[in-house]
Structure formats: C-alpha cells, structure tokens
Amino acid sequence: MAVEPFRLKTTPLDEETRLIAEKELRETPEVREKAIVELRRLLGENKDLYYADDDKTLLVFLRPTHFYPESAIKLVIKIFVKIIKNPKLRWVDLLILRFGGRVIKDHLAPD
C-alpha cells in the first residue's frame, strides 16, 4: 500500500477542529487576527528575512507556538538557520522557493 505524501491543510477549520484549536491553542478569530498582525510587524522589522506574507503562511508558524508572535518569530528564524546550516535537507528547496530563505550571520549563533 502506497503512503500518501504529507500535505498541509490550509482549508478553514470544521466546527470540531475549531473547538479543539480554541481550547488547546488559544485560537479564536480575535487572537488569530491580533497574532497575525503582530507577527507580520515583527517579520517586517527583520530586514534580513524574506518570507511569504499571506495569512495561511503565517498561521503555519503561529499554530505550533499557540499564537504567541514572539515565539513564532523565533521559530521562523530557527527554521531559516537550519536551512542555512543544512543545505542538503530535502525540504530546503521548498522553503527557499516559498519563503525566500535568507538569514544574516547574526542569527547563526552556535546551537
């Protein structure tokens, strides 16, 4: 049996999933909108990150950080640093195409 490839779901949440997201991730329409605006501002302040600016892309970073924009920007930078340090990763081309993938040396602190 063939394994289906991984695909990110970016469709609107159904009611059951919405309730789980609200309870476990703090995801309400108000929190989501405020977090998107703040993450967009934080990313805009960092002139060395090139990224997609659409809400769906920003939600990819906000959901795992429970809609805390400060944590989401750290996650974005961490991913870009991994791309720079590990250029042979299979998914690197996808991220570079999707987000631009450039981080300045200041972000390349040793792990």
Side-chain angles (χ1 to χ4, degrees):
M1 176 158 73
V3 176
E4 290 189 34
F6 174 78
R7 297 187 199 286
L8 269 180
K9 280 184 153 183
T10 58
T11 57
L13 302 176
D14 61 38
E15 185 61 19
E16 180 183 1
T17 306
R18 187 194 63 74
L19 290 172
I20 293 169
E22 186 174 328
K23 180 180 178 185
E24 295 182 11
L25 304 177
R26 305 180 329 118
E27 184 175 352
T28 64
E30 299 81 22
V31 169
R32 179 177 41 218
E33 188 58 37
K34 187 176 176 183
I36 287 172
V37 168
E38 180 63 11
L39 179 56
R40 193 172 276 130
R41 185 189 67 75
L42 291 170
L43 287 166
E45 288 177 358
N46 191 326
K47 303 298 181 201
D48 300 306
L49 290 175
Y50 298 88
Y51 58 93
D53 193 16
D54 59 282
D55 290 358
K56 288 181 181 180
T57 299
L58 299 181
L59 286 172
V60 168
F61 298 103
L62 286 165
R63 280 197 176 117
T65 59
H66 297 236
F67 288 85
Y68 291 104
E70 298 79 12
S71 298
I73 187 80
K74 289 177 184 176
L75 178 60
V76 170
I77 291 170
K78 183 178 180 178
I79 289 172
F80 282 117
V81 168
K82 293 291 183 188
I83 290 170
I84 297 296
K85 288 184 174 183
N86 302 295
K88 293 184 180 180
L89 293 174
R90 298 186 65 130
W91 47 269
V92 71
D93 292 331
L94 289 174
L95 287 174
I96 288 173
L97 287 173
R98 176 78 175 156
F99 301 112
R102 193 180 119 203
V103 178
I104 62 169
K105 292 178 184 178
D106 295 347
H107 294 300
L108 294 174
D111 289 334

